[in-house]
Amino acid sequence: MPDLSHHARRLRDIADALEAESQPNDDPFTPHPDTSKVINDRHTKRGQLNYAVPDVLQLQRRVRRYNADHDMSHGDIVAVALDTWLRAKGYPPSLKPSETDAP
């Protein structure tokens, strides 16, 4: 039979790693600092993200309105929303340092 204390330690280690990965703040929709850094870097390579979404949710209209109210690009709005959701579900990115970060 497996040692339960070993499993408890592993679960504690996993919980600690997840907590370190996501630092809660008052607004759960605040972008992760690493995500903000990537988005704000004008040299960040961009790729197109195309998915069919239900028209009834009016996502394109809502993104355009948010852009008009907050002057945040459409792509950045989508990137922050998806990154926040995926991090919350336990899927953080494995960000590699860019060439500009190299010493």
Side-chain angles (χ1 to χ4, degrees):
M1 179 177 244
D3 180 14
L4 291 179
S5 63
H6 170 74
H7 292 295
R9 275 193 305 277
R10 281 287 294 141
L11 286 173
R12 191 175 324 114
D13 291 343
I14 291 169
D16 290 345
L18 287 172
E19 186 176 333
E21 190 62 45
S22 175
Q23 311 220 337
N25 89 35
D26 292 340
D27 181 3
F29 300 110
T30 298
H32 188 279
D34 291 341
T35 303
S36 294
K37 182 178 177 184
V38 168
I39 286 174
N40 292 327
D41 183 355
R42 65 185 185 103
H43 300 292
T44 297
K45 289 176 66 174
R46 302 278 176 152
Q48 192 69 32
L49 181 66
N50 294 315
Y51 286 96
V53 294
D55 287 335
V56 71
L57 295 177
Q58 304 171 347
L59 295 173
Q60 291 177 343
R61 180 184 68 80
R62 292 160 57 199
V63 165
R64 284 192 302 270
R65 289 186 68 189
Y66 187 90
N67 167 260
D69 291 345
H70 299 278
D71 195 31
M72 182 180 206
S73 79
H74 298 81
D76 290 351
I77 294 166
V78 173
V80 167
L82 281 174
D83 181 69
T84 300
W85 186 79
L86 288 168
R87 283 177 188 274
K89 295 294 187 178
Y91 296 93
S94 55
L95 299 175
K96 298 175 186 170
S98 65
E99 293 173 10
T100 57
D101 292 341

